[in-house]
Amino acid sequence: MSAVVYEQRQVRRARYAVAAVFAVHGAVTGSFATRVPWIQDHAGVSAGQLGLALAFPALGASVAMPLAGSVTHRFGARTALRGLLALWTLALVLPSLAPDLLTLCLALFVYGATAGMSDVAMNALGVEVENRLDKSIMSGLHGMWSAGTLIGSAAGTLAAHLGADARLHHVLAAAVLTVAGLVACAWVLDLQPAEDEDPPPRFALPPRSAVLIGAVGFCAVFAEGASLDWSAVYLRDELETSAGLAAACTTGFTLTMAVARFAGDKVVDRFGAVRTVRVSGVLATLGGLLVVVGGHPAVAMAGFALMGLGIAVVVPLCFAAAGRAGSNPSLAIAGVATITYTSGLIAPSAIGGLAQATSLVVSFGLVTVLACCLVVFAKVLRAGDRDRPKVSPPSAAVPDRQP
């Protein structure tokens, strides 16, 4: 077997491995989200206290994500991802063990910190595999994350329906997902830093390129968070629909996002990142306009579906562009991830606060404006276009060592 053929097989195998890692990461999120009511009751916290506690995952992620580059430099990409992903899957158990608000906040801080660091590590490896394949795969990888979330949510829904204790559910889920993650990590690329490469700083401000790319991701994630949390409320309160139809709107939004992510790589390969995001922004803007001015449940539902279709591939392309925009991909990806996590944190409360002061129609008018920004600022993702020179991570200097 020639060296070229062997390397190609390694890279293809690494692609499937990192896709499995994304699915495992998403399954942890889905497993946790479905048991939040049980965790609230067990900790004895009010709705307001729960809202405070649920801010701590994003806080933990924002603090810890810049450390991912240092961990990867010290241990190598495969070992770092193996350890960080295992910490994330095992951290699933912590929130259900919390007996009060303080311990719940601490547990969710750790939960978010491990989530953020493993997120950066797996996206950096995904970008490297994409570079070696010379075709877009990031959208599909994020589609696998969505699929994992759905699987974890389905299992959690079943556990809740059976009245299972969330502590037992999460211990079993953590055990299964930890094993699955360790198996998948055995086949990812084993990137090592060059002998003369200086370690990255433990904490550093993201480069300017990451801030600009992150701003585009901010707009997309803001629209996603607003639609996920408020689309059902919008249909119920503004358009006076039934609870079932309102819930179906959120489901439709989620499904269009998942479908678009799985189909997005072919679109990106054909049209490039910049043009794809511009068209995506147009679709999301049209969707927002339908929501704001439609005045009919069917029109609003179509608008939310269009919005999901429009924003689905933006964040994967932001990570891909960050990974090629400079000489330190991990730092750039961490910067983009921090900005998008922040957007996801503030979007639901910002929409609620604006709705309280004005109306939900005005709130989604803001979402529509942010969707339009995707069209205007898509050019900052030009680093993600396949015809541009790619900057490989410094850690790629040493050849892979597969088991």
Side-chain angles (χ1 to χ4, degrees):
M1 182 188 301
S2 70
V4 174
V5 173
Y6 179 68
E7 182 179 0
Q8 289 174 342
R9 288 187 176 181
Q10 284 185 315
V11 174
R12 286 197 297 268
R13 185 169 58 183
R15 175 185 181 178
Y16 297 127
V18 77
V21 168
F22 270 76
V24 168
H25 196 284
V28 176
T29 302
S31 300
F32 167 75
T34 52
R35 305 313 304 271
V36 168
W38 189 98
I39 292 171
Q40 179 184 6
D41 292 340
H42 178 70
V45 297
S46 66
Q49 290 172 326
L50 177 63
L52 172 65
L54 289 176
F56 276 77
L59 180 61
S62 299
V63 170
M65 279 188 290
L67 295 173
S70 296
V71 174
T72 300
H73 182 275
R74 180 173 180 178
F75 297 103
R78 182 191 295 163
T79 300
L81 180 61
R82 182 185 287 132
L84 293 174
L85 187 65
L87 288 175
W88 162 235
T89 53
L90 294 173
L92 172 63
V93 178
L94 298 179
S96 61
L97 300 178
D100 53 40
L101 177 61
L102 177 60
T103 53
L104 180 59
C105 290
L106 292 174
L108 289 174
F109 183 89
V110 175
Y111 173 85
T114 55
M117 288 193 291
S118 55
D119 192 312
V120 171
M122 71 186 191
N123 273 285
L125 273 170
V127 170
E128 177 61 18
V129 173
E130 182 175 272
N131 285 345
R132 296 192 183 194
L133 290 172
D134 198 29
K135 65 178 182 179
S136 178
I137 66 167
M138 290 301 292
S139 182
L141 292 180
H142 282 255
M144 288 297 296
W145 188 92
S146 297
T149 303
L150 290 173
I151 293 171
S153 298
T157 299
L158 177 61
H161 178 71
L162 296 175
D165 189 304
R167 291 169 293 189
L168 175 60
H169 165 214
H170 284 168
V171 165
L172 293 175
V176 171
L177 293 173
T178 299
V179 172
L182 290 175
V183 171
C185 286
W187 305 106
V188 301
L189 296 176
D190 189 19
L191 308 178
Q192 299 288 339
E195 293 183 0
D196 59 348
E197 181 184 333
D198 293 328
R202 292 185 178 180
F203 290 97
L205 293 175
R208 181 173 177 270
S209 60
V211 174
L212 296 174
I213 294 169
V216 175
F218 181 96
C219 295
V221 172
F222 193 99
E224 179 182 352
S227 299
L228 281 174
D229 288 354
W230 288 96
S231 58
V233 177
Y234 186 92
L235 261 73
R236 185 194 64 190
D237 293 353
E238 295 292 331
L239 303 178
E240 300 179 349
T241 65
S242 66
L245 189 61
C249 178
T250 303
T251 302
F253 172 83
T254 304
L255 286 176
T256 55
M257 280 199 66
V259 170
R261 281 181 169 171
F262 280 117
D265 289 322
K266 292 185 181 298
V267 176
V268 174
D269 279 334
R270 180 169 182 179
F271 298 105
V274 173
R275 282 188 287 177
T276 298
V277 172
R278 280 178 178 155
V279 173
S280 296
V282 170
L283 292 176
T285 303
L286 289 176
L289 290 173
L290 290 178
V291 170
V292 172
V293 304
H296 189 277
V299 176
M301 291 178 72
F304 280 114
L306 263 181
M307 204 178 306
L309 187 65
I311 65 177
V313 301
V314 176
V315 171
L317 289 178
C318 286
F319 281 119
R324 300 188 192 98
S327 60
N328 194 329
S330 292
L331 181 60
I333 289 173
V336 170
T338 301
I339 295 169
T340 56
Y341 267 68
T342 301
S343 180
L345 173 65
I346 68 173
S349 58
I351 292 296
L354 185 58
Q356 182 70 28
T358 55
S359 70
L360 272 176
V361 174
V362 175
S363 294
F364 277 98
L366 172 62
V367 172
T368 304
V369 171
L370 292 177
C372 188
C373 290
L374 298 177
V375 182
V376 177
F377 298 109
K379 62 182 178 180
V380 305
L381 301 186
R382 60 185 177 273
D385 277 332
R386 306 234 58 82
D387 57 349
R388 287 180 59 84
K390 294 177 283 292
V391 179
S392 296
S395 54
V398 175
D400 307 325
R401 297 191 300 274
Q402 297 287 347

